[in-house]
Amino acid sequence: MSESVPADRAGHAQEVAGESAFPIRPADRMRHLPPYLFGQLNALKSRKRREGVDIIDLGMGNPNDPTPDRIVDKLSEAVRDPRNHRYSDAVGIFNLRREVAKFYARKYGVDLDPETEIITTIGSKEGFSHLCLALLGPGDVALVPSPAFPPHIYAVTIAGASVLSVPVSGGPEFLDNLNKVMEGIFPKPKLLVLNFPHNPTTTTVDEGFFDTIVEFARKHEVITVHDFAYGQTVFDGYKAPSLLQADGAKEVGLEFMTMSKAYNMAGWRVGFCLGNREMIRALSSIKGYFDYGLFQPVQIASIIGLRHCDECAVEQAEKYQSRRDVLCRGLERMGWEVDKPRATMFVWAKMPASHREMGSIDFCFMLLEKAEVAVAPGRAFGQEGEGYVRLALVENEQRIRQAIRQIGRALS
């Protein structure tokens, strides 16, 4: 006769054996999220580095250059003041929001009320994700240009809404595509997501483009959200227009900006949402439930960046422009098809014809293995990105030249 085992000991035995006695079932929304491809590439990259391999990383738009000294010095000063160690305000301190308003007035000629039309976010990615939770739900539809920065798709999905892809372009063709999508569709899309200069394709738009977008939004009653992350990372005299410069833009939508790229503050997580008061109020309400705002010394240091570091942002863009020239020349010498971008910190390049059949994911894993260079597969940004790779301009010119040599050897 077998000996019985008490229930509590039986459960413990199952756990020891690797079987959970208490099943954990993630929410259904998790089934709609694919494996995070960049995580797989990062895992291989990390393993190789642990093995002593010098990986040249052009895969992620993660700035390598330092934050301007003036910003760092202000952080050091502010962090020593114990008054700044308490919880902050979820919407951001007023002086920082006022500085953002001054920045937009100076740079874009846009008038913003820091009390009701600006909110500080923990990076623009966090802000956009929480905004989707505040505005979207099951049954709602968002128009998202594709290829797309993945959070523009999956923040919508996590909120329970559906994504309708529109091929990305920067001129009248894009508006034509939007109008075609609206013909006969039900339910009507609630949200239009824009991102110019565009990640990953580097597509840009010119003055007047957003006037047509505002007209479209009014006609179809579509809320418009513009991710303006690369608004200051521009080359060859190009000036990227802000959505908020268009007449009536604040009636139909809002814009996100960030200090990550122009000021090399990616890890600081400083972003802003600006524009429509009702949308700002909705984002403020949901943030009040999720966070206590950004660490106050970081906000104080950011004021110094916006107030005194315009020239630093210009110098950083010039660095990216020089790196762009080195990278584009090198890829073109190898026979790659490359459109030289006039903004962002990326080059969007068509894969060489000799390797196109293998697909961008396998191609990037191959480059990481054989060339010891990390780049991002176009497929990670949607099906429309297949056949392309995105290369980030985060390494210095010498390292970029080395990466070109190593890629050339791996493909020859």
mmCIF file with all atom_site columns, all heavy atoms in Angstrom, residues 10-20:
data_model
loop_
_atom_site.group_PDB
_atom_site.id
_atom_site.type_symbol
_atom_site.label_atom_id
_atom_site.label_alt_id
_atom_site.label_comp_id
_atom_site.label_asym_id
_atom_site.label_entity_id
_atom_site.label_seq_id
_atom_site.pdbx_PDB_ins_code
_atom_site.Cartn_x
_atom_site.Cartn_y
_atom_site.Cartn_z
_atom_site.occupancy
_atom_site.B_iso_or_equiv
_atom_site.pdbx_formal_charge
_atom_site.auth_seq_id
_atom_site.auth_comp_id
_atom_site.auth_asym_id
_atom_site.auth_atom_id
_atom_site.pdbx_PDB_model_num
ATOM 1  N N   . ALA A 1 10 ? 2.917  17.777 -1.187  1.00 0.00 ? 10 ALA A N   1
ATOM 2  C CA  . ALA A 1 10 ? 2.793  17.384 -2.600  1.00 0.00 ? 10 ALA A CA  1
ATOM 3  C C   . ALA A 1 10 ? 3.006  18.590 -3.494  1.00 0.00 ? 10 ALA A C   1
ATOM 4  O O   . ALA A 1 10 ? 3.676  18.520 -4.516  1.00 0.00 ? 10 ALA A O   1
ATOM 5  C CB  . ALA A 1 10 ? 1.417  16.760 -2.859  1.00 0.00 ? 10 ALA A CB  1
ATOM 6  N N   . GLY A 1 11 ? 2.391  19.722 -3.098  1.00 0.00 ? 11 GLY A N   1
ATOM 7  C CA  . GLY A 1 11 ? 2.586  20.942 -3.883  1.00 0.00 ? 11 GLY A CA  1
ATOM 8  C C   . GLY A 1 11 ? 4.033  21.355 -3.903  1.00 0.00 ? 11 GLY A C   1
ATOM 9  O O   . GLY A 1 11 ? 4.560  21.761 -4.931  1.00 0.00 ? 11 GLY A O   1
ATOM 10 N N   . HIS A 1 12 ? 4.685  21.228 -2.740  1.00 0.00 ? 12 HIS A N   1
ATOM 11 C CA  . HIS A 1 12 ? 6.101  21.599 -2.678  1.00 0.00 ? 12 HIS A CA  1
ATOM 12 C C   . HIS A 1 12 ? 6.925  20.690 -3.575  1.00 0.00 ? 12 HIS A C   1
ATOM 13 O O   . HIS A 1 12 ? 7.836  21.138 -4.281  1.00 0.00 ? 12 HIS A O   1
ATOM 14 C CB  . HIS A 1 12 ? 6.598  21.503 -1.233  1.00 0.00 ? 12 HIS A CB  1
ATOM 15 C CG  . HIS A 1 12 ? 8.053  21.783 -1.081  1.00 0.00 ? 12 HIS A CG  1
ATOM 16 N ND1 . HIS A 1 12 ? 8.584  23.043 -1.255  1.00 0.00 ? 12 HIS A ND1 1
ATOM 17 C CD2 . HIS A 1 12 ? 9.108  20.957 -0.799  1.00 0.00 ? 12 HIS A CD2 1
ATOM 18 C CE1 . HIS A 1 12 ? 9.897  23.000 -1.075  1.00 0.00 ? 12 HIS A CE1 1
ATOM 19 N NE2 . HIS A 1 12 ? 10.230 21.739 -0.798  1.00 0.00 ? 12 HIS A NE2 1
ATOM 20 N N   . ALA A 1 13 ? 6.580  19.405 -3.582  1.00 0.00 ? 13 ALA A N   1
ATOM 21 C CA  . ALA A 1 13 ? 7.313  18.462 -4.431  1.00 0.00 ? 13 ALA A CA  1
ATOM 22 C C   . ALA A 1 13 ? 7.155  18.818 -5.891  1.00 0.00 ? 13 ALA A C   1
ATOM 23 O O   . ALA A 1 13 ? 8.099  18.728 -6.681  1.00 0.00 ? 13 ALA A O   1
ATOM 24 C CB  . ALA A 1 13 ? 6.811  17.038 -4.166  1.00 0.00 ? 13 ALA A CB  1
ATOM 25 N N   . GLN A 1 14 ? 5.947  19.241 -6.290  1.00 0.00 ? 14 GLN A N   1
ATOM 26 C CA  . GLN A 1 14 ? 5.737  19.643 -7.679  1.00 0.00 ? 14 GLN A CA  1
ATOM 27 C C   . GLN A 1 14 ? 6.594  20.850 -8.033  1.00 0.00 ? 14 GLN A C   1
ATOM 28 O O   . GLN A 1 14 ? 7.178  20.923 -9.109  1.00 0.00 ? 14 GLN A O   1
ATOM 29 C CB  . GLN A 1 14 ? 4.266  19.971 -7.907  1.00 0.00 ? 14 GLN A CB  1
ATOM 30 C CG  . GLN A 1 14 ? 3.367  18.754 -8.031  1.00 0.00 ? 14 GLN A CG  1
ATOM 31 C CD  . GLN A 1 14 ? 1.942  19.168 -8.306  1.00 0.00 ? 14 GLN A CD  1
ATOM 32 O OE1 . GLN A 1 14 ? 1.429  20.114 -7.714  1.00 0.00 ? 14 GLN A OE1 1
ATOM 33 N NE2 . GLN A 1 14 ? 1.306  18.463 -9.221  1.00 0.00 ? 14 GLN A NE2 1
ATOM 34 N N   . GLU A 1 15 ? 6.669  21.830 -7.113  1.00 0.00 ? 15 GLU A N   1
ATOM 35 C CA  . GLU A 1 15 ? 7.459  23.030 -7.379  1.00 0.00 ? 15 GLU A CA  1
ATOM 36 C C   . GLU A 1 15 ? 8.928  22.686 -7.514  1.00 0.00 ? 15 GLU A C   1
ATOM 37 O O   . GLU A 1 15 ? 9.624  23.191 -8.388  1.00 0.00 ? 15 GLU A O   1
ATOM 38 C CB  . GLU A 1 15 ? 7.245  24.057 -6.265  1.00 0.00 ? 15 GLU A CB  1
ATOM 39 C CG  . GLU A 1 15 ? 5.858  24.661 -6.283  1.00 0.00 ? 15 GLU A CG  1
ATOM 40 C CD  . GLU A 1 15 ? 5.631  25.588 -5.115  1.00 0.00 ? 15 GLU A CD  1
ATOM 41 O OE1 . GLU A 1 15 ? 6.567  25.783 -4.318  1.00 0.00 ? 15 GLU A OE1 1
ATOM 42 O OE2 . GLU A 1 15 ? 4.520  26.111 -5.003  1.00 0.00 ? 15 GLU A OE2 1
ATOM 43 N N   . VAL A 1 16 ? 9.415  21.783 -6.628  1.00 0.00 ? 16 VAL A N   1
ATOM 44 C CA  . VAL A 1 16 ? 10.815 21.370 -6.708  1.00 0.00 ? 16 VAL A CA  1
ATOM 45 C C   . VAL A 1 16 ? 11.093 20.694 -8.034  1.00 0.00 ? 16 VAL A C   1
ATOM 46 O O   . VAL A 1 16 ? 12.142 20.855 -8.651  1.00 0.00 ? 16 VAL A O   1
ATOM 47 C CB  . VAL A 1 16 ? 11.163 20.439 -5.528  1.00 0.00 ? 16 VAL A CB  1
ATOM 48 C CG1 . VAL A 1 16 ? 12.528 19.814 -5.724  1.00 0.00 ? 16 VAL A CG1 1
ATOM 49 C CG2 . VAL A 1 16 ? 11.103 21.211 -4.211  1.00 0.00 ? 16 VAL A CG2 1
ATOM 50 N N   . ALA A 1 17 ? 10.129 19.915 -8.501  1.00 0.00 ? 17 ALA A N   1
ATOM 51 C CA  . ALA A 1 17 ? 10.302 19.213 -9.772  1.00 0.00 ? 17 ALA A CA  1
ATOM 52 C C   . ALA A 1 17 ? 10.158 20.136 -10.969 1.00 0.00 ? 17 ALA A C   1
ATOM 53 O O   . ALA A 1 17 ? 10.317 19.715 -12.103 1.00 0.00 ? 17 ALA A O   1
ATOM 54 C CB  . ALA A 1 17 ? 9.268  18.091 -9.875  1.00 0.00 ? 17 ALA A CB  1
ATOM 55 N N   . GLY A 1 18 ? 9.856  21.403 -10.708 1.00 0.00 ? 18 GLY A N   1
ATOM 56 C CA  . GLY A 1 18 ? 9.741  22.356 -11.810 1.00 0.00 ? 18 GLY A CA  1
ATOM 57 C C   . GLY A 1 18 ? 8.335  22.556 -12.306 1.00 0.00 ? 18 GLY A C   1
ATOM 58 O O   . GLY A 1 18 ? 8.103  23.235 -13.287 1.00 0.00 ? 18 GLY A O   1
ATOM 59 N N   . GLU A 1 19 ? 7.351  21.952 -11.620 1.00 0.00 ? 19 GLU A N   1
ATOM 60 C CA  . GLU A 1 19 ? 5.960  22.100 -12.022 1.00 0.00 ? 19 GLU A CA  1
ATOM 61 C C   . GLU A 1 19 ? 5.263  22.999 -11.010 1.00 0.00 ? 19 GLU A C   1
ATOM 62 O O   . GLU A 1 19 ? 5.270  22.723 -9.816  1.00 0.00 ? 19 GLU A O   1
ATOM 63 C CB  . GLU A 1 19 ? 5.260  20.736 -12.077 1.00 0.00 ? 19 GLU A CB  1
ATOM 64 C CG  . GLU A 1 19 ? 5.878  19.782 -13.087 1.00 0.00 ? 19 GLU A CG  1
ATOM 65 C CD  . GLU A 1 19 ? 5.211  18.424 -13.057 1.00 0.00 ? 19 GLU A CD  1
ATOM 66 O OE1 . GLU A 1 19 ? 4.181  18.291 -12.353 1.00 0.00 ? 19 GLU A OE1 1
ATOM 67 O OE2 . GLU A 1 19 ? 5.697  17.506 -13.704 1.00 0.00 ? 19 GLU A OE2 1
ATOM 68 N N   . SER A 1 20 ? 4.649  24.069 -11.465 1.00 0.00 ? 20 SER A N   1
ATOM 69 C CA  . SER A 1 20 ? 3.975  24.991 -10.568 1.00 0.00 ? 20 SER A CA  1
ATOM 70 C C   . SER A 1 20 ? 2.661  24.393 -10.083 1.00 0.00 ? 20 SER A C   1
ATOM 71 O O   . SER A 1 20 ? 1.841  23.939 -10.872 1.00 0.00 ? 20 SER A O   1
ATOM 72 C CB  . SER A 1 20 ? 3.721  26.327 -11.278 1.00 0.00 ? 20 SER A CB  1
ATOM 73 O OG  . SER A 1 20 ? 2.939  27.163 -10.462 1.00 0.00 ? 20 SER A OG  1
#
